[in-house]
């Protein structure tokens, strides 16, 4: 929506209902129960110096006991300002696959992005939080230029879609693994095409763990690779099953 020449996004929550809450509990997951979760996530990241959404409004139909019966149907909303002139890193990855970065300034910019993402991931996890949907599409980049060249100093990177974020005193290892493997999964096409090189991946590892590559946790990164590959295999199975179903449906529908 647009108000006084400024654009905003409205996200509404109408209540997930108790069946959905119980299903999440069955899988030992915390259900997303409203806009307040994203409200907390935004403020948490801002306190830790991470660029994220700017909240313009928030409301809920009532603050009752956390898991009382009305909580399952509580309605809430959050309004955030548009991050103007930005593209997602997923969109940027499509651009790179068409026109890979080759100039020195472009390669410098790529290395800066890798370090910045790793720093953000490290800060989030060290702060006791985890994103749960840590994919390229949930990073927004405001590209800036200086004399026709990409400017590292003037560009900004944002983390968005925080409605599933979890915040604790300390982030469990399995949730760190989920975030980082999800990020690698969303980078697989860049890795396969050689746009993300072995040096780039090593740069991410050493920056994320803030230690030399030699001292990095090898077992953690093996799990990251394995889980990312499992996510890719699951996606391939779903696509294959969807195509098979569509084919059977089309065959059945023929006269």
């Amino acid at each position: 929506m647009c108000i006084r020449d400024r654009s905003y996004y409205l996200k509404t929550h109408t209540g997930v209902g108790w069946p959905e809450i119980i299903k999440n509990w069955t899988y030992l997951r915390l259900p997303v129960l409203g806009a307040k979760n994203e409200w907390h996530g935004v403020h948490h990241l801002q306190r830790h110096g991470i660029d994220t959404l700017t909240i313009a409004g928030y409301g809920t139909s009532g603050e009752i006991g956390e898991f009382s019966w009305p909580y399952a149907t509580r309605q809430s909303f959050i309004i955030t300002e548009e991050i103007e002139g930005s593209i997602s890193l997923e969109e940027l990855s499509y651009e790179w696959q068409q026109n890979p970065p080759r100039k020195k300034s472009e390669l410098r910019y790529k290395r800066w992005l890798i370090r910045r993402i790793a720093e953000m991931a490290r800060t989030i996890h060290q702060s006791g939080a985890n994103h749960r949907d840590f994919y390229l599409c949930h990073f927004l980049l405001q590209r800036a230029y200086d004399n026709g060249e990409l400017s590292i100093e003037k560009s900004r990177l944002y983390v968005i879609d925080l409605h599933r974020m979890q915040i604790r005193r300390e982030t469990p290892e399995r949730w760190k693994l989920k975030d980082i493997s999800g990020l690698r999964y969303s980078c697989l096409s860049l890795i396969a095409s050689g746009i993300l090189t072995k040096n780039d991946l090593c740069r991410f590892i050493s920056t994320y763990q803030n230690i030399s590559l030699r001292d990095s946790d090898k077992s953690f990164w093996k799990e990251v690779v394995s889980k990312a590959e499992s996510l890719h295999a699951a996606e391939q199975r779903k696509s294959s099953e969807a195509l098979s179903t569509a084919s059977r449906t089309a065959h059945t529908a023929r006269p």
Side-chain angles (χ1 to χ4, degrees):
M1 60 183 177
C2 190
I3 302 173
R4 295 179 182 176
D5 297 325
R6 297 198 66 176
S7 296
Y8 299 85
Y9 290 100
L10 169 65
K11 187 182 290 186
T12 60
H13 295 260
T14 56
V16 297
W18 278 106
E20 181 66 19
I21 291 175
I22 293 168
K23 185 177 91 172
N24 276 269
W25 282 345
T26 302
Y27 289 100
L28 302 179
R29 294 194 302 244
L30 287 175
V32 177
L33 298 173
K36 191 171 186 179
N37 204 59
E38 190 147 25
W39 186 90
H40 280 304
V42 168
H43 288 285
H44 181 84
L45 293 192
Q46 288 174 341
R47 283 194 300 272
H48 288 86
I50 295 178
D51 286 328
T52 185
L53 302 165
T54 298
I55 297 174
Y58 163 76
T60 181
S61 60
E63 295 287 351
I64 312 174
E66 186 159 7
F67 290 111
S68 61
W69 181 261
Y71 202 94
T73 56
R74 179 186 298 172
Q75 298 182 355
S76 58
F77 71 88
I78 189 167
I79 301 171
T80 57
E81 295 181 9
E82 179 189 19
I83 301 175
E84 297 179 349
S86 64
I87 64 166
S88 75
L89 292 191
E90 184 177 50
E91 293 172 302
L92 181 64
S93 76
Y94 297 146
E95 286 187 15
W96 279 358
Q97 288 175 68
Q98 296 298 316
N99 297 292
R102 291 191 178 94
K103 294 167 60 177
K104 285 185 178 180
S105 61
E106 294 171 341
L107 293 172
R108 257 196 320 270
Y109 199 80
K110 181 184 73 164
R111 290 193 290 268
W112 167 73
L113 269 176
I114 292 166
R115 285 193 298 268
R116 186 67 192 123
I117 295 167
E119 288 166 353
M120 294 168 101
R122 184 181 71 221
T123 301
I124 290 170
H125 291 162
Q126 288 181 343
S127 74
N130 58 282
H131 191 283
R132 293 177 73 187
D133 288 308
F134 210 54
Y135 306 113
L136 288 180
C137 59
H138 294 147
F139 289 87
L140 294 185
L141 174 65
Q142 281 181 330
R143 286 182 289 194
Y145 295 83
D146 199 354
N147 296 322
E149 299 282 356
L150 284 163
S151 171
I152 291 170
E153 292 75 18
K154 295 178 181 178
S155 296
R156 295 179 71 179
L157 186 64
Y158 299 79
V159 182
I160 64 167
D161 265 14
L162 310 178
H163 61 282
R164 299 182 69 217
M165 177 172 276
Q166 296 171 326
I167 303 171
R168 308 174 177 84
R169 291 177 63 87
E170 186 174 337
T171 306
E173 200 72 5
R174 73 185 187 94
W175 287 108
K176 294 178 186 178
L177 175 63
K178 183 182 187 302
D179 276 357
I180 302 301
S181 59
L183 183 60
R184 182 183 172 94
Y185 160 73
S186 65
C187 293
L188 286 178
S189 59
L190 292 173
I191 295 170
S193 62
I195 295 169
L196 284 183
T197 65
K198 184 177 179 180
N199 284 343
D200 291 330
L201 299 175
C202 290
R203 183 174 292 110
F204 180 91
I205 290 170
S206 59
T207 304
Y208 172 74
Q209 294 195 315
N210 202 24
I211 53 178
S212 70
L213 187 64
R214 186 185 301 107
D215 298 324
S216 63
D217 184 349
K218 305 295 191 299
S219 62
F220 176 83
W221 296 104
K222 283 181 181 177
E223 286 190 74
V224 165
V225 172
S226 175
K227 192 168 181 61
E229 290 175 351
S230 295
L231 288 169
H232 179 65
E235 179 197 38
Q236 295 296 98
R237 283 195 301 273
K238 285 180 183 178
S239 297
S240 178
E241 289 167 4
L243 284 172
S244 178
T245 301
S247 177
R248 287 197 302 270
T249 302
H251 181 75
T252 304
R254 285 175 186 168

